[in-house]
């Protein structure tokens, strides 16, 4: 064992050194395959001997099981945001800012440090005794989300420091490099998902994910430039601070300029604007801050921002070009999205030939016509947007764009009829078998939150559809191991088979999916208006898919909606009914009374079933009535299963002998045993995962929250409980041990199911 321990230590040191050379010095001394070999050896060694795993091991960056929510972290020192200066306001705005600080520090010489304003997400890293203990978002400046597990996945975030103060909080931005963002966006499009509009949204979305294993696959980076709480003395200037942070292995801004006047700041801004396209990440401005930390404290702060710093926002770059055509893309759900095909033009270092047009209403609002000269803008968007039309250059023969006429009323992929959603600005193809949607639906069917079919995504999904092995997602249950292992992911000239090992994993995942609960299946089927939460709610009140398809609860919701609409039109006191003849008013009054009676009956039925509840604001005489699913979602579910496509799905599942079960309690109706109770989980549970515990709480009618408050009924306490325990004790919230919690659920540690990895 000593030999294994020594080898593990040696591997960690080597990997940390290579990380330092790669991230701090940009001078790697080994190739990526060689690095990966070291990493795999350490990972395999730790898997064989778990007692060798340390919290700061590089292997622990890859992410653990999904969390059930984010705890809240109160910042030791507030994380403030910056007020903006805009390039469009010119140098006068900059002079006014500098003059304002000069008035706060009269007669003192001032130095300014200029850094790039990275278009990322503000974070704070807290180290204690040299080890990363907490990573948090800015939040409201006082309190943020604890995203430590996600930040640990970023290789440029040091897990331990040498020679650092006992307490050191470092602050900066998490961002996505341009190349990594482009790749990530392409993968989302391939999966039929709505891609992030820009790199900042992608970084923010990644950090808010509960499954750090997914975050680990995203190429996030971090740059650090500021401090929160520090237990020792720090450098006296921002320039010195950045050099000090480098000593500990932190990445700091690559571009910095020390300035002593408005003129020098202006030159530095111009220089930054000229070189920022070569940084490899999005920047949307410059940060101008006092160099002296002592002068900053005397200059002070407003309620939300420092008085000694501003963010200079660059003007979005625009270009003029010709709109040659408008094409229409078909998404996974059949939504038709218009795209402008442009005369290629160079904009911010890249050639632009396409721009988003969003939807029909946007085209009509801007009066965009084929052949127009248009102004396009790229301000963080991957696909730039059309800002406006140059009307003075419009050709006399240019005609307004007619969306349905342009498509001749047919889907561009399958030729099926299209229609516009009356409540939204989108057209869509109603053909669920549209070939443009097949691959996207298959990838959605296989995604982690649905059936979690490992390996079925990207090129694999494309090839399964392309070869005809899958025309409907349920076809995956007919694929055999031999066929799947020989699937050619390459070309006829350069074949590349899927392989026996990968095929075995996928077949195992497919077989496991047969027994997944109803909620996962409802989500996987991509029923309109049904997301993960709605799927869970449906599964909590229905035993099977057939029960959902014929649901009296959903029918009651739809009827109740119709009655509410009729009640407003038949109200005899309504203005539009006051002038009617007496006989007609009596008829309407009778109908209004019938509607009121039927409404009360339906409300009572839904309330008794636990599918609805009454609400009342404090001081209000009358309350509202809220159902688990709204009428739009309820109608969408019933319409789906009543359609030929929905009926085909039900019949196919019967043929495959797949019958997912819901989580309806067997106690004979009435309120669920945990209805109205709010739970928070903390610490590590030994016999059940927190994700599974949360599922069981919800299945019994309870709610699961990520933060303790006065409204929390129970705190479930596992091993190594964190600050939530202190908060619960301070608020007088009841605490449950794991054994007491399992007893509340109706089980005990002895008969609790074995702990398995979370599937979500």
């Amino acid at each position: 064992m000593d030999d294994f321990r020594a080898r593990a230590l040696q591997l960690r040191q080597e990997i940390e050194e290579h990380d330092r050379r790669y991230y701090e010095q940009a001078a790697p001394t080994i190739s990526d395959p060689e690095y990966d070999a070291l990493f795999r050896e350490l990972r395999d060694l730790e898997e064989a001997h778990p007692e060798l795993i340390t919290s700061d091991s590089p292997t622990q960056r890859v992410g653990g099981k999904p969390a059930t929510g984010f705890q809240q972290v109160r910042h030791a020192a507030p994380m403030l945001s910056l007020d903006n200066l805009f390039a469009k306001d010119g140098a006068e705005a900059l002079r006014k800012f500098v003059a304002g600080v000069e008035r706060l520090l009269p007669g003192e010489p001032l130095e300014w440090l200029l850094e790039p304003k990275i278009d990322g997400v503000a974070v704070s890293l807290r180290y204690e005794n040299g080890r990363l203990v907490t990573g948090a978002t800015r939040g409201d400046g006082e309190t943020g989300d604890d995203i430590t597990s996600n930040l640990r996945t970023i290789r440029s975030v040091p897990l331990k420091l040498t020679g650092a103060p006992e307490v050191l909080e470092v602050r900066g931005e998490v961002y996505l490099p341009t190349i990594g963002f482009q790749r990530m966006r392409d993968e989302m499009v391939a999966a039929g998902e709505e891609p992030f509009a820009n790199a900042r949204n992608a970084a923010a979305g990644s950090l808010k994910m509960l499954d750090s294993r997914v975050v680990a696959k995203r190429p996030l980076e971090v740059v650090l430039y500021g401090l929160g709480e520090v237990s020792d003395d720090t450098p006296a200037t921002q320039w010195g601070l950045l050099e000090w942070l480098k000593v500990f292995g932190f990445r700091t801004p690559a571009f910095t300029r020390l300035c002593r006047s408005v003129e020098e700041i202006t030159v530095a801004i111009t220089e930054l604007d000229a070189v920022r396209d070569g940084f490899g990440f999005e920047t949307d401005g410059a940060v101008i801050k006092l160099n002296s930390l002592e002068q900053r404290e005397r200059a002070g702060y407003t309620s939300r921002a420092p008085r000694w710093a501003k963010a200079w926002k660059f003007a979005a770059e625009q270009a003029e070009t010709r709109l040659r055509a408008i094409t229409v893309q078909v998404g996974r759900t059949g939504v038709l999205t218009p795209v402008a095909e442009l005369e290629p033009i160079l904009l911010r270092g890249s050639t632009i030939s396409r721009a988003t047009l969003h939807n029909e209403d946007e085209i009509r609002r801007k009066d965009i016509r084929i052949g127009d000269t248009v102004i396009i803008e790229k301000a963080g968007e991957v696909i730039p947007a059309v800002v406006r039309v140059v009307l003075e250059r419009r050709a006399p023969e240019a005609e307004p764009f007619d969306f349905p006429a342009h498509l001749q009323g047919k889907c561009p992929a399958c030729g099926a009829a299209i229609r516009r959603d009356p409540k939204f600005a989108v057209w869509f193809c109603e053909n669920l078998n549209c070939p443009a949607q097949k691959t996207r639906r298959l990838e959605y069917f296989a995604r982690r939150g649905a059936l979690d079919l490992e390996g079925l995504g990207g090129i694999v999904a494309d090839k399964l559809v392309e070869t005809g092995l899958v025309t409907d997602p349920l076809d995956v249950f007919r694929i055999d191991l031999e066929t799947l292992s020989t699937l050619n992911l390459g070309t006829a000239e350069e074949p590349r088979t899927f392989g026996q090992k990968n095929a075995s994993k996928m077949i195992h995942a497919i077989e496991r999916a047969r027994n997944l609960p109803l909620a996962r299946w409802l989500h996987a089927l991509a029923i309109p208006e049904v997301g993960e939460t709605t799927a869970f709610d449906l599964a909590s009140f229905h035993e099977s898919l057939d029960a959902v398809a014929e649901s009296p609860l959903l029918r009651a919701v739809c009827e109740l909606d119709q009655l509410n609409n009729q009640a407003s039109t038949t109200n005899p006191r309504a203005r539009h009914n006051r002038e009617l003849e007496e006989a007609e008013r009596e008829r309407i009054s009778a109908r209004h009374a019938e509607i009121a009676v039927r409404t009360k009956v339906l409300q009572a039925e839904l309330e008794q079933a636990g599918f609805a509840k009454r609400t009342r604001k404090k001081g209000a005489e009358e309350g509202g009535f809220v159902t688990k699913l709204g009428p739009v979602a309820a109608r969408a579910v019933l319409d789906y299963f009543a359609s030929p496509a929905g009926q085909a799905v039900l019949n196919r599942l019967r043929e495959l002998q797949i019958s997912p079960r819901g989580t309806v309690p067997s106690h004979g109706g009435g309120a669920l045993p945990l209805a109205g109770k709010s739970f928070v989980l903390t610490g590590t549970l030994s016999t059940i995962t927190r994700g599974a515990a949360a599922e069981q709480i919800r299945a019994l009618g309870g709610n699961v929250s990520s933060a303790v408050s006065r409204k929390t009924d129970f705190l479930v306490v596992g091993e190594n409980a964190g600050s939530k325990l202190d908060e619960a004790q301070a608020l007088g919230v009841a605490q449950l041990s794991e054994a007491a919690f399992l007893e509340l659920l109706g089980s005990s540690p002895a008969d609790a199911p074995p702990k398995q990895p979370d599937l979500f």
Side-chain angles (χ1 to χ4, degrees), residues 598-617:
R598 179 59 179 165
T599 296
K600 289 181 179 179
V601 170
L602 290 174
Q603 288 180 339
E605 291 176 356
L606 290 169
E607 193 172 6
Q608 184 177 8
F611 204 70
K613 65 179 180 180
R614 298 184 183 277
T615 61
R616 179 174 295 177
K617 293 183 178 179

Side-chain angles (χ1 to χ4, degrees), residues 494-515:
E494 298 181 7
R496 179 169 62 90
T497 59
F498 190 44
Q500 183 83 13
K501 184 177 180 180
N502 291 328
S504 295
K505 288 182 179 179
M506 186 184 296
I507 292 295
H508 175 72
I510 290 171
E511 287 304 307
R512 184 185 62 192
R514 286 178 173 274
N515 299 312

Side-chain angles (χ1 to χ4, degrees), residues 11 14-15 18 22 28-43 155:
L11 287 168
E14 286 187 33
I15 292 171
H18 290 307
Y22 184 90
T29 55
I30 61 173
S31 65
D32 286 348
E34 290 172 316
Y35 179 94
D36 292 339
L38 292 174
F39 192 93
R40 282 196 303 271
E41 182 183 352
L42 177 59
R43 182 190 59 202
R155 286 175 59 187

Side-chain angles (χ1 to χ4, degrees), residues 209-498:
M209 297 185 73
L210 295 178
D211 192 344
S212 61
R213 294 171 297 187
V214 178
V215 181
K217 298 176 182 178
R218 299 190 171 180
L220 296 168
E221 295 290 356
V222 68
V223 63
L224 287 309
Y225 47 72
L227 295 176
E229 182 182 14
V230 185
S231 59
D232 292 348
D233 292 337
T234 61
T237 65
Q238 178 70 16
W239 184 280
L241 170 62
L242 296 180
E243 295 300 314
W244 187 62
L245 292 177
K246 289 179 184 177
V247 172
F248 299 120
F250 293 111
R251 273 192 166 183
T252 59
F255 181 102
T256 54
R257 294 293 184 270
L258 194 61
C259 308
R260 294 176 175 80
S261 66
V262 171
E263 290 70 26
E264 289 185 8
I265 295 174
T266 302
V267 170
I269 290 173
T270 303
E271 184 182 354
L272 173 61
D273 195 17
V275 301
R276 64 190 176 104
D277 284 340
F279 289 167
F281 53 82
E282 292 287 345
T283 58
D284 58 356
V287 176
I288 307 156
K289 57 184 74 171
L290 270 179
N291 190 35
S292 168
L293 274 59
E294 187 273 334
Q295 286 181 324
R296 292 180 184 180
E297 290 304 311
R298 288 191 287 116
Y301 305 81
T302 66
S303 60
R304 62 175 299 276
R307 292 190 173 94
W308 43 263
K310 294 282 186 179
W312 174 274
K313 301 297 288 288
F314 292 125
E317 190 165 326
Q318 298 181 339
E320 183 179 295
T321 187
R322 179 175 172 272
L323 192 156
R324 299 190 301 184
I326 295 177
T327 57
V328 177
Q329 297 177 334
V330 185
R332 170 184 59 80
T333 58
V335 171
L336 306 177
T337 304
V339 177
E341 305 294 341
L342 308 166
E343 293 282 0
I345 189 169
L346 191 66
L347 180 62
R348 290 219 58 81
S350 57
T351 300
I352 305 301
S353 59
R354 312 183 86 202
T356 180
L357 294 174
H358 300 293
N359 53 52
E360 180 187 28
D361 285 2
E362 182 78 355
I363 294 174
R364 186 182 295 118
R365 184 177 68 82
K366 294 179 179 177
D367 191 18
I368 298 170
R369 307 182 185 186
I370 294 174
D372 274 346
T373 297
V374 295
I375 302 297
I376 61 172
E377 179 178 281
K378 185 181 180 184
E381 301 286 339
V382 173
I383 299 180
V386 173
V387 179
R388 62 181 176 85
V389 175
V390 184
L391 291 175
E392 57 269 25
R393 299 186 61 180
R394 169 173 285 169
E397 65 274 14
E399 297 182 354
F401 183 78
D402 187 322
F403 196 100
H406 179 73
L407 296 177
Q408 298 180 328
K410 300 177 181 179
C411 170
C414 69
I418 63 173
R419 73 178 179 91
R420 174 167 164 147
D421 188 307
K423 292 187 177 181
F424 301 98
V426 297
W427 287 82
F428 60 92
C429 168
E430 297 183 278
N431 177 18
L432 292 175
N433 291 314
C434 173
Q437 302 177 47
K438 286 183 178 179
T439 299
R440 305 298 171 249
R441 288 207 305 273
L442 176 58
E443 290 169 325
Y444 189 88
F445 186 76
R447 68 190 299 183
R448 184 179 299 276
L451 298 190
D452 195 16
L453 304 182
E454 183 180 0
L456 209 173
I459 188 64
V460 177
D462 287 337
K463 290 297 182 179
L464 287 173
V465 172
E466 180 184 311
T467 57
L469 289 171
V470 172
T471 57
D472 176 90
L474 290 173
D475 289 341
V476 299
F477 291 94
R478 295 296 194 193
I479 299 176
D480 58 76
L481 179 61
E482 182 179 355
T483 300
L484 189 57
S485 63
T486 57
L487 179 68
N488 182 12
L489 303 183
T491 63
E493 296 77 19
E494 298 181 7
R496 179 169 62 90
T497 59
F498 190 44

